[in-house]
Amino acid sequence: GAGVSQSPSNKVTEKGKDVELRCDPISGHTALYWYRQSLGQGLEFLIYFQGNSAPDKSGLPSDRFSAERTGGSVSTLTIQRTQQEDSAVYLCASSAPTGTSADTQYFGPGTRLTVL
Amino acid sequence: GQSLEQPSEVTAVEGAIVQINCTYQTSGFYGLSWYQQHDGGAPTFLSYNALDGLEETGRFSSFLSRSDSYGYLLLQELQMKDSASYFCAVRDGGSQGNLIFGKGTKLSVKP
């Protein structure tokens, strides 16, 4: 079946503009995660959705970042008033609902964001 | 806090065996995972250890010692295509959902 998809694949924006990044998880996966990866670095957790529960927003770096997940499927990560330090690859992942398989996260190809 | 330590770079030759170590500090432990990421690509799941011991999947094996807060990924019969970054990860003890990743080990396989 289809994997996790993300759009756009690349986004170049000017400092101060808002951007929206989209993630379509694997069908049936109730958990959805957003991570950020700067060049040559590890993955930094941003936000986690699990079913209908309130999202875990503990990784969001500032109040300029927000995310929503509509209908328990598609998610949008919004960055307002972008700054140059927001430049990174934004990765979305989804995972199955129960058991140890929940540790298997399936990643999308990412959105490379460049803020000029 | 929670953290994972792994070497930043490892170099090996084709056909050789390489071991990538990972030590972790967590509040609550729910297993150690390994992910592979090629340059410009997305991380892909390799293995998961919840209990002590060795898990083998083809040329790749992963080991865990919970008493030592330590694990490793063993890659055998190295191939050029194994050149990638390898990340160890643990589940966040607080949320029990998202993963906390190490900074990654860049493996370069030479001919």
Side-chain angles (χ1 to χ4, degrees):
Chain A
V4 178
S5 61
Q6 293 186 244
S7 61
S9 55
N10 278 285
K11 177 70 176 178
V12 180
T13 190
E14 293 179 347
K15 179 180 173 182
K17 301 280 190 183
D18 298 352
V19 295
E20 283 190 354
L21 312 179
R22 177 188 167 103
C23 172
D24 281 271
I26 292 173
S27 177
H29 281 189
T30 57
L32 186 148
Y33 316 80
W34 283 98
Y35 296 90
R36 176 169 74 172
Q37 186 175 34
S38 299
L39 187 64
Q41 299 297 310
L43 284 77
E44 174 191 3
F45 165 69
L46 297 176
I47 188 169
Y48 159 53
F49 296 89
Q50 173 59 277
N52 296 319
S53 302
D56 176 355
K57 304 179 183 180
S58 60
L60 294 179
S62 78
D63 58 8
R64 295 186 295 103
F65 288 71
S66 63
E68 62 177 22
R69 189 177 185 193
T70 54
S73 181
V74 171
S75 177
T76 303
L77 177 70
T78 301
I79 309 173
Q80 296 179 307
R81 307 181 301 282
T82 52
Q83 303 294 312
Q84 289 182 330
E85 61 263 29
D86 300 334
S87 296
V89 175
Y90 289 80
L91 290 158
C92 174
S94 69
S95 67
T98 59
T100 59
S101 61
D103 286 289
T104 304
Q105 296 191 8
Y106 297 86
F107 284 82
T111 294
R112 181 175 297 278
L113 175 66
T114 303
V115 182
L116 302 176
Chain B
Q2 299 177 100
S3 65
L4 298 99
E5 295 288 332
Q6 53 181 131
S8 59
E9 293 184 37
V10 172
T11 301
V13 297
E14 224 175 348
I17 299 172
V18 72
Q19 178 174 312
I20 299 174
N21 299 320
C22 174
T23 56
Y24 58 86
Q25 284 187 309
T26 60
S27 55
F29 180 73
Y30 304 94
L32 183 70
S33 300
W34 288 92
Y35 285 77
Q36 177 192 60
Q37 185 180 32
H38 287 98
D39 281 348
T44 57
F45 174 80
L46 287 178
S47 68
Y48 170 73
N49 294 68
L51 301 176
D52 292 350
L54 194 67
E55 294 280 342
E56 298 181 65
T57 309
R59 294 188 297 114
F60 294 1
S61 303
S62 57
F63 172 82
L64 175 66
S65 168
R66 288 174 295 171
S67 60
D68 296 320
S69 297
Y70 164 76
Y72 65 73
L73 180 69
L74 191 73
L75 297 85
Q76 302 181 71
E77 301 171 21
L78 281 174
Q79 302 176 9
M80 299 295 290
K81 68 179 181 179
D82 297 329
S83 292
S85 290
Y86 293 83
F87 296 88
C88 57
V90 293
R91 205 189 305 184
D92 186 325
S95 77
Q96 298 183 34
N98 62 284
L99 293 173
I100 307 294
F101 286 83
K103 293 189 183 301
T105 298
K106 187 172 179 62
L107 171 64
S108 298
V109 181
K110 307 292 187 187

